[in-house]
């Protein structure tokens, strides 16, 4: 599928916050977007949440994860950018 917009969300061990962010995106009337979650080494709890949302939601989610080796947010954001399929991308940090 071709998306118009890519939203990149960075996260690290905040699955409850991420859940609410994703709930917000589920409420959008505009649907031609993809979400790429740039995960800087979160635990399995975040991965499980993303799997659960992917299975029960209309959102087009991609989870990009890297091993936790300290704060490497810029590196994971660059990895996430390489996964973008859309012609326009925006980034959200929580």
């Amino acid at each position: 599928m071709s998306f118009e917009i890519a939203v990149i969300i960075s996260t690290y061990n905040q699955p409850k916050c991420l859940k609410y962010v994703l709930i917000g995106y589920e409420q959008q009337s505009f649907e031609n977007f993809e979400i790429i979650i740039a995960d800087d080494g979160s635990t399995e709890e975040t991965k499980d949440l993303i799997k659960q949302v992917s299975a029960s939601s209309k959102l087009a989610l991609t989870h990009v994860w890297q091993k936790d080796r300290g704060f490497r947010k810029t590196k994971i954001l660059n990895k996430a950018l390489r996964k973008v399929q859309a012609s326009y991308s925006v980034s959200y940090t929580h």
Side-chain angles (χ1 to χ4, degrees):
M1 178 176 191
S2 178
F3 298 105
E4 191 173 335
I5 296 172
V7 178
I8 299 173
I9 302 170
S10 64
T11 191
Y12 176 73
N13 284 334
Q14 294 293 321
K16 289 179 185 177
C17 294
L18 179 60
K19 179 180 178 180
Y20 290 121
V21 169
L22 295 175
I23 287 170
Y25 279 106
E26 284 182 320
Q27 307 308 309
Q28 300 301 309
S29 58
F30 178 81
E31 296 180 354
N32 190 12
F33 66 95
E34 64 179 323
I35 295 177
I36 301 170
I37 301 170
D39 186 345
D40 189 18
S42 296
T43 62
E44 289 293 314
E45 188 177 358
T46 298
K47 183 178 180 180
D48 292 343
L49 169 73
I50 294 166
K51 282 183 182 179
Q52 176 188 357
V53 171
S54 290
S56 64
S57 172
K58 63 182 178 181
L59 295 174
L61 296 178
T62 301
H63 184 206
V64 181
W65 181 88
Q66 68 185 6
K67 189 172 182 171
D68 186 359
R69 293 188 180 144
F71 184 77
R72 298 185 306 148
K73 180 180 172 185
T74 54
K75 186 171 183 173
I76 194 62
L77 288 173
N78 285 332
K79 285 182 179 181
L81 277 169
R82 289 193 288 276
K83 297 291 184 178
V84 169
Q85 298 175 35
S87 55
Y88 183 78
S89 63
V90 295
S91 181
Y92 171 79
T93 304
H94 71 87

